[in-house]
Amino acid sequence: MSSVVIVGTQWGDEGKGKIVDLLTRYADYVVRFQGGNNAGHTLVVEGKQFIFHIIPSGILYEDKKCMIGNGVIIDPAVLLGEIKELQEKGLPVTPERLMISERAHLIMPYHSTLDQASEAALAQGKKIGTTGRGIGPCYVDKVGRRGIKVGDLADMGVFRDKLQTNLDEANFLLTQKYNVKPLDFDLIYDQFQSYAEQLNPFSGNVSLELDNARKRNDNILFEGAQGTQLDIDHGTYPFVTSSNTIAGNACNGSGVGPTHIDAVIGILKAYTTRVGEGPFPTELFDKTGEELQKKGGEFGATTGRKRRCGWLDGVVAADAVRLNSITGMAITKLDVLSGQSKIKIAREYQFDGKKYQAMPSNIQLAGSVQPVYEEVDGWQEEIGDVRSFEDLPAKARDYIKRIEDITEVEASIISVGPDREETLLLKNPFEN
């Protein structure tokens, strides 16, 4: 039995969904432990594209059980839309295949309205780059002890009282601060009555279910969203998400004790990307950046926004190893670098005569530092058809070895293309 956590090492969009899909075949349970529908996992299976925002991508395997943990926040309309889409593609989602934590919080219509209104009110240069999906306001209500949970849908009297209190406050802010029309109580209540009928059969105690699975020696795979530098505590604050994205939150976000985690796999894109605002020391504004963006298909799975592209940031990678206790690295999109004669890796930052081996916590400094690069030889061969590490071009193997040296973590998985089969599994974390 093993419990394995998958985390992003950069600013998200590293290809976690594909690696989760690969490792799901060895797992019995797949657990999403944080975030909301501001994240997107894109998978290509037998030429078909699947995009998941809330449901763990393990749902593509009919013999696995998927769990949405208490650390996730749920927009019922999005979740039910995903369930419907999967059913239309011949993959029925039943309570036997999916459990939603009764302790997970609900994204309400006023959350997304407040999110969009507050972002619009910020001056240019002060904007966070939020997706506008209500993630931040929902977490604010959760921490403020006024959130509405999935379990509240089982008692519509409790739900009604909470909704009335919260909507009164939200409407005050919308009308008085943001000059936006108020939301209608009856409309929201009727809408959520319908959601309750559909979601209540899926609601349960995820923590208890996982503890029983552990006692049966089942394999459990924990799936995170976003990336380490978007962590609310350890990322480039305030240009971060509203939850803890690092591996430690797999325990808090699903109700599993920390001593029951056996391995942490960090997903590291072979170059670096970022969506939205915030510091990005290795960002490229030249032809190379455009090439990476185009060849890598760098568009956000949730927003469709272009991703900013740059060289691999070894400082960010080292931060991720330290913060997540990463035991193995999955290097993705290595194929995108094919054709580059030279490849750069940032080893440290510098500013005003001082060097930095970690991302500065001061956001102005983080936005001002300059990367100090080392340069390695690239390779010209396309590698999408490669199925063993030994068949990779020598320069590609050298690049992987350099990443291992910098991070002090062994590469256990190499992705050479978007399809499920275009992956080299060098070491299986479920096989101790």
Side-chain angles (χ1 to χ4, degrees):
M1 183 276 292
S2 293
S3 292
V4 177
V5 180
I6 300 293
V7 293
T9 62
Q10 296 155 318
W11 280 281
D13 307 309
E14 300 94 350
K16 294 179 293 299
K18 182 188 179 186
I19 304 305
V20 170
D21 176 66
L22 170 72
L23 295 178
T24 292
R25 67 188 68 175
Y26 307 103
D28 301 293
Y29 285 78
V30 183
V31 186
R32 170 79 181 272
F33 63 83
Q34 53 80 217
N37 59 296
N38 56 333
H41 287 174
T42 302
L43 299 177
V44 179
V45 181
E46 297 178 354
K48 295 181 180 179
Q49 186 180 77
F50 296 84
I51 299 178
F52 297 96
H53 297 287
I54 301 176
I55 297 177
S57 49
I59 202 73
L60 294 178
Y61 291 80
E62 296 185 24
D63 59 336
K64 314 298 181 181
K65 183 148 188 180
C66 291
M67 320 289 277
I68 298 176
N70 57 276
V72 179
I73 55 175
I74 298 169
D75 184 323
V78 175
L79 176 57
L80 290 169
E82 286 190 18
I83 291 174
K84 181 181 179 182
E85 184 177 350
L86 286 166
Q87 289 173 335
E88 290 173 347
K89 291 182 177 180
L91 290 167
V93 180
T94 65
E96 288 70 40
R97 299 191 61 217
L98 175 68
M99 177 182 283
I100 305 169
S101 173
E102 58 200 0
R103 297 176 182 272
H105 282 243
L106 294 168
I107 299 175
M108 304 299 294
Y110 49 82
H111 288 140
S112 54
T113 306
L114 283 167
D115 199 3
Q116 294 163 24
S118 62
E119 180 78 354
L122 292 173
Q124 197 62 37
K126 299 290 185 179
K127 295 183 183 296
I128 301 299
T130 172
T131 60
R133 284 160 169 77
I135 308 303
C138 183
Y139 276 118
V140 167
D141 277 1
K142 177 179 179 177
V143 175
R145 295 167 292 185
R146 55 180 177 269
I148 300 176
K149 298 185 290 185
V150 169
D152 294 330
L153 294 176
D155 187 333
M156 291 307 290
V158 170
F159 177 86
R160 174 183 283 275
D161 291 343
K162 287 189 173 184
L163 175 60
Q164 188 66 72
T165 300
N166 290 357
L167 189 58
D168 286 347
E169 182 174 344
N171 278 339
F172 177 81
L173 288 172
L174 289 172
T175 57
Q176 300 302 310
K177 183 175 182 179
Y178 298 117
N179 196 29
V180 174
K181 290 181 180 180
L183 301 182
D184 183 80
F185 173 89
D186 291 332
L187 199 63
I188 297 175
Y189 182 79
D190 291 345
Q191 186 180 48
F192 274 77
Q193 270 194 314
S194 173
Y195 293 156
E197 293 171 4
Q198 299 173 74
L199 292 178
N200 282 340
F202 293 91
S203 177
N205 190 326
V206 166
S207 175
L208 184 60
E209 177 86 4
L210 291 176
D211 193 54
N212 289 332
R214 182 184 63 82
K215 291 174 180 176
R216 291 193 302 267
N217 292 321
D218 289 339
N219 286 336
I220 304 172
L221 182 62
F222 295 89
E223 173 183 6
Q226 286 98 22
T228 298
Q229 288 295 334
L230 291 177
D231 185 274
I232 187 68
D233 286 304
H234 302 286
T236 48
Y237 187 92
F239 301 99
V240 293
T241 194
S242 299
S243 62
N244 289 108
T245 61
I246 61 175
N249 198 31
C251 298
N252 190 50
S254 59
V256 172
T259 61
H260 300 317
I261 301 300
D262 301 293
V264 178
I265 303 300
I267 316 302
L268 180 76
K269 191 179 289 187
Y271 49 101
T272 310
T273 63
R274 177 166 197 167
V275 171
E277 307 297 325
F280 185 177
T282 65
E283 184 173 9
L284 293 171
F285 301 94
D286 57 8
K287 183 180 178 181
T288 300
E290 293 177 2
E291 289 174 354
L292 294 176
Q293 196 278 326
K294 184 176 180 180
K295 188 173 182 180
E298 296 297 352
F299 296 89
T302 298
T303 63
R305 291 181 294 184
K306 276 188 178 182
R307 295 174 186 145
R308 301 152 63 189
C309 297
W311 293 121
L312 182 65
D313 192 325
V315 177
V316 164
D319 278 352
V321 171
R322 182 183 72 255
L323 292 167
N324 294 287
S325 295
I326 291 173
T327 58
M329 203 71 81
I331 300 173
T332 60
K333 291 201 170 183
L334 186 67
D335 55 299
V336 176
L337 292 179
S338 291
Q340 297 292 337
S341 59
K342 296 290 183 180
I343 300 171
K344 294 182 180 181
I345 306 172
R347 292 303 316 280
E348 61 185 6
Y349 305 145
Q350 64 179 6
F351 179 73
D352 198 22
K354 186 176 180 180
K355 295 183 178 181
Y356 299 86
Q357 278 73 46
M359 180 67 72
S361 62
N362 180 296
I363 197 64
Q364 283 76 28
L365 179 57
S368 301
V369 294
Q370 296 297 312
V372 178
Y373 287 115
E374 69 172 63
E375 192 173 76
V376 299
D377 291 331
W379 59 94
Q380 297 304 306
E381 303 93 325
E382 296 296 332
I383 60 176
D385 293 331
V386 171
R387 294 296 177 267
S388 70
F389 182 78
E390 292 73 21
D391 289 337
L392 285 170
K395 293 292 192 276
R397 296 198 304 271
D398 290 344
Y399 184 60
I400 293 167
K401 179 63 168 59
R402 194 71 197 108
I403 293 173
E404 291 178 327
D405 291 342
I406 291 170
T407 61
E408 299 182 349
V409 176
E410 190 176 36
S412 55
I413 300 170
I414 308 293
S415 174
V416 295
D419 201 80
R420 176 184 274 177
E421 303 307 317
E422 296 174 325
T423 316
L424 316 181
L425 181 58
L426 310 182
K427 184 178 180 181
N428 189 339
F430 284 110
E431 296 176 357
N432 295 326

